[in-house]
Amino acid sequence: MTQDVGVANERVDTLSTEELTVTYDDIPVVSDVTVGFARGEVTALIGPAGSGKTSVLRALNRLHDLTPIARVHGSVRLHGKDIYDADVDAFEIRRRVGMVFETPTPFPMSIYDNVAWGARMHGRPSELDAVVEHGLRRAGLWDEVKDKLRQSALRLSAGQQQRLCIARTIAIDPDVILMDEVTAPLDPISTGKVEDLILTLRPDYAIVLATHNVQQAGRLSDRVAFFLVDESRAGRLVEWADTDSVFFAPRDARTEAYISGRAGSDMSARGRTG
Amino acid sequence: MTPARRRTRSSAALRVLFAFAALIALTSVTAVVTHVVNTSAGLIAIRGGTESAATGDAAQVLASWTLLESMVYRSVIERDAVERFPDGTRIEFRSWLNPAFITGGYSADPTRTGVRGALIGSLWLIVIATIAAVPAGVGAAIYLQEFSAPHRLHRAMRESVHLLAGVPSVVFGLIGLVIFARLLGPLTSGAIFGVRATRVPTGRTIVSAGLTVALMTLPRIVIAAEQAIGAVAPRLRLAAFSVGATRWQVVRDHVLPQAGPEICAGAIFALTRAVGDAAAVIIVGASTVVLTDPSTPFAAFTALPVIAYQWAMRPDPSYRGLASAALLVLLLVVVVLNVAAGVVRLRARRTR
């Protein structure tokens, strides 16, 4: 971790974007996003469905590379280096920018192998047991699964599966963790556990959390980036600021409307129908 | 008429159509079964069966009954035979399809010939075709599904695979004759490996035929494997990529284990189709009569559908019974393979 130089008042972004635009079949789904994420912070990406939160997330770890029709324009910098440069290995980027998805997607293997699979490719085999235990402990799952590490991960509850996915990401020792609606399919108790987990992870990672739950963004995030669909149906970054100022003193009227719950559904409907 | 109502009416019409299709399918299955039990593969009455084996005289086939009759009216047949052939002590009842028929070698005497050579030939074909076609087919499917970007060449490749799957087997036979038997003759006759071709001077050997069957099977395996790989949940791939895996690691550890059973079942189905095909194998050079069992892939050979075809073409009615019996052996092989494919698929579904 080289990012300890971040001094109190001077944010040093671990990961940042500049004029990021993602297109599908040359049609932009999200345009001109300039935003930064620093270690020790949780940044919530909020906005109605279709406003481009997921598209932004996937641009941050080059996941769009796997979708042939998707193109990423602008720049995404990790520690100042553009991850879309020709000499950058996308697979290495994805190790340093881990991602957890909305639907818990444990691999159809044992609990141990779920955490070990990614770590095995990057670390030393002799330390694997320790890496797995560390990952599971940080994800708050160790006590629940330590006696059944060889059991299939598919037999865990949805909430446990999601924390396992987070453990798997921790085990590859990333700098940034992207979370795409990670609590959306979970019950309130599991959601609470995952939220607590995010707060315990905050000091060590730059966490980017896409959510359409405004309250959750308020509870967890240090900064908020608010996205909305514009007239051309592309998502746009409306406001990006400290959580407190977004919630209590939004600069944009649309932000205020969305935060207070007055216009969310209406706006998303407009976004879909164009 | 409201749109909803129109939809119900058209769906009712569709249902009738589908029911009709299912009825046709059922009828054809029944037809096949009826034909099988009505083939002359049933009992035969032989005069001087075991006796003539000792003396070397040809035994005489007196009468033949169908499989159905043999199974259901056995006592009637026996009583009937005693009446028709008064010297009943010398009559021996036998089924065309018996253990000796399956394990017996070729004989000019229809009552003593067997299909062992053809059975071994067919099994050789399955083995060679599997070795040649499965890795290539699965590899091609992995490339098309996981590695190749969808550009024009990719689409051309995929379309050509589908086109190949529809090419008649005779055409594959000719391709196999030209490429494997003639062009690669030194290789497929085993001459290069120091195998003395005693009876087969050219490359018209098991290898050539096996490779031809492989070629015939390949497109079907590619299609089956592509479907199986395409059915693997995309989010599993995304999750694997998101911990920094390379494409190959994702394929090796997630896609192939998930798609494996379906690929396996698809490959078996494809091979089953090919192993029952006579045309291609005849063109490449299956022999009518094989006196020695093929012991190396460079031997002359025959296969079950070929020998059944040869026997069915003979004027002597005894051979018609033999042809039916050989076809039953082939059906048995096909059923065993299909059951194996089904078991692989079911077990995979249960463990998931």
Side-chain angles (χ1 to χ4, degrees):
Chain A
M1 305 276 167
T2 53
Q3 227 39 39
D4 290 340
V5 286
V7 196
N9 290 327
E10 210 171 313
R11 292 181 64 249
V12 177
D13 289 335
T14 308
L15 185 67
S16 62
T17 72
E18 208 168 306
E19 313 231 313
L20 172 71
T21 297
V22 180
T23 61
Y24 285 109
D25 273 335
D26 297 327
I27 299 162
V29 286
V30 60
S31 290
D32 297 330
V33 176
T34 300
V35 66
F37 313 101
R39 185 175 170 210
E41 283 184 358
V42 174
T43 306
L45 311 185
I46 61 171
S51 57
K53 305 186 293 292
T54 298
S55 295
V56 169
L57 278 188
R58 291 185 176 197
L60 300 180
N61 69 344
R62 291 191 60 170
L63 222 48
H64 287 301
D65 290 13
L66 305 171
T67 314
I69 57 166
R71 293 273 179 286
V72 176
H73 311 272
S75 73
V76 179
R77 294 179 183 279
L78 181 64
H79 299 310
K81 165 91 176 145
D82 194 326
I83 65 171
Y84 285 92
D85 278 353
D87 62 333
V88 173
D89 179 2
F91 303 107
E92 173 61 18
I93 291 300
R94 293 191 201 112
R95 188 195 69 72
R96 289 162 69 190
V97 183
M99 185 159 186
V100 185
F101 296 86
E102 173 173 359
T103 318
T105 42
F107 303 133
M109 326 171 150
S110 71
I111 293 168
Y112 182 93
D113 285 337
N114 257 277
V115 185
W117 189 73
R120 191 179 285 134
M121 298 182 296
H122 309 296
R124 269 170 291 180
S126 56
E127 296 165 358
L128 206 54
D129 286 352
V131 167
V132 171
E133 182 175 338
H134 173 253
L136 288 170
R137 276 192 193 282
R138 290 286 328 244
L141 200 59
W142 177 252
D143 290 330
E144 292 163 57
V145 301
K146 64 180 178 214
D147 300 323
K148 47 179 183 180
L149 290 173
R150 296 286 157 199
Q151 214 181 70
S152 168
L154 301 180
R155 286 163 68 180
L156 296 173
S157 73
Q160 286 174 321
Q161 287 184 358
Q162 196 59 295
R163 280 181 287 148
L164 182 67
C165 292
I166 294 173
R168 179 170 79 190
T169 305
I170 294 168
I172 59 169
D173 192 24
D175 301 339
V176 181
I177 301 180
L178 311 175
M179 297 185 175
D180 191 0
E181 307 276 6
V182 285
T183 62
L186 304 183
D187 64 76
I189 292 174
S190 299
T191 300
K193 284 182 180 167
V194 171
E195 288 189 356
D196 291 347
L197 169 58
I198 291 170
L199 290 176
T200 66
L201 294 176
R202 175 167 61 178
D204 299 317
Y205 306 94
I207 296 176
V208 187
L209 176 75
T211 176
H212 35 229
N213 182 335
V214 174
Q215 285 76 29
Q216 182 176 62
R219 282 195 297 273
L220 297 179
S221 68
D222 302 285
R223 310 195 120 220
V224 167
F226 172 56
F227 291 80
L228 207 55
V229 181
D230 67 5
E231 302 74 31
S232 66
R233 280 201 281 169
R236 282 188 185 271
L237 180 62
V238 174
E239 190 158 352
W240 171 47
D242 289 342
T243 303
D244 285 348
S245 54
V246 170
F247 271 72
F248 300 114
R251 277 183 307 233
D252 196 295
R254 293 170 295 174
T255 312
E256 191 184 0
Y258 185 76
I259 297 283
S260 57
R262 267 184 283 128
S265 56
D266 178 41
M267 279 188 281
S268 79
R270 177 143 45 97
R272 283 211 198 91
T273 55
Chain B
M1 203 190 305
T2 65
R5 212 143 154 221
R6 202 176 304 142
R7 205 175 306 134
T8 20
R9 265 190 60 175
S10 70
S11 88
L14 270 181
R15 200 179 305 162
V16 170
L17 210 66
F18 287 142
F20 188 62
L23 198 68
I24 290 176
L26 189 66
T27 318
S28 19
V29 170
T30 322
V32 168
V33 172
T34 320
H35 179 74
V36 166
V37 296
N38 277 326
T39 53
S40 36
L43 277 182
I44 46 167
I46 298 172
R47 179 174 289 150
T50 23
E51 203 178 294
S52 69
T55 58
D57 296 334
Q60 191 189 353
V61 178
L62 296 173
S64 171
W65 292 268
T66 70
L67 200 59
L68 187 66
E69 289 169 338
S70 315
M71 285 190 299
V72 183
Y73 308 115
R74 176 146 193 162
S75 54
V76 180
I77 288 174
E78 282 174 9
R79 234 182 301 135
D80 183 42
V82 171
E83 278 169 28
R84 274 167 69 188
F85 313 109
D87 53 344
T89 48
R90 297 183 59 206
I91 286 180
E92 180 187 326
F93 286 99
R94 193 195 288 175
S95 167
W96 281 117
L97 183 62
N98 57 38
F101 176 74
I102 294 175
T103 59
Y106 176 81
S107 162
D109 176 358
T111 61
R112 268 184 284 162
T113 192
V115 288
R116 189 181 64 216
L119 184 60
I120 293 175
S122 280
L123 295 180
W124 266 114
L125 291 184
I126 293 176
V127 170
I128 293 172
T130 306
I131 293 171
V134 171
V138 175
I142 290 173
Y143 174 75
L144 286 175
Q145 281 282 332
E146 299 287 330
F147 288 90
S148 128
H151 45 71
R152 227 179 281 162
L153 189 65
H154 169 99
R155 280 190 50 194
M157 281 192 277
R158 179 167 290 177
E159 289 306 318
S160 64
V161 166
H162 282 257
L163 190 73
L164 272 183
V167 169
S169 57
V170 186
V171 179
F172 279 108
L174 280 171
I175 294 171
L177 180 68
V178 171
I179 295 180
F180 299 127
R182 294 273 157 78
L183 215 61
L184 300 176
L187 223 64
T188 51
S189 66
I192 270 181
F193 310 103
V195 176
R196 291 275 302 158
T198 46
R199 289 189 59 250
V200 194
T202 59
R204 308 181 82 177
T205 53
I206 298 185
V207 191
S208 295
L211 291 176
T212 307
V213 171
L215 207 59
M216 222 158 73
T217 322
L218 195 60
R220 289 174 202 275
I221 292 183
V222 174
I223 292 170
E226 260 200 290
Q227 279 171 351
I229 290 170
V232 174
R235 58 196 169 91
L236 190 66
R237 282 193 191 86
L238 285 182
F241 279 122
S242 293
V243 291
T246 62
R247 281 180 188 274
W248 170 238
Q249 285 163 335
V250 174
V251 168
R252 185 192 59 197
D253 291 347
H254 294 296
V255 174
L256 279 185
Q258 284 284 298
E262 284 292 322
I263 292 177
C264 199
I268 295 175
F269 282 132
L271 283 163
T272 314
R273 299 262 339 136
V275 83
D277 188 86
V281 182
I282 288 177
I283 290 179
V284 176
S287 317
T288 319
V289 169
V290 173
L291 294 172
T292 49
D293 295 336
S295 53
T296 74
F298 305 112
F301 73 102
T302 190
L304 284 170
V306 177
I307 207 168
Y309 166 73
Q310 299 285 1
W311 279 338
M313 289 299 108
R314 298 205 185 179
D316 183 347
S318 302
Y319 279 101
R320 235 172 291 148
L322 281 176
S324 304
L327 282 178
L328 285 182
V329 176
L330 178 61
L331 275 180
L332 203 71
V333 172
V334 166
V335 167
V336 166
L337 284 174
N338 273 292
V339 168
V343 167
V344 167
R345 198 175 270 179
L346 270 182
R347 281 187 53 178
R349 206 169 290 162
R350 205 174 306 148
T351 53
R352 211 170 285 161

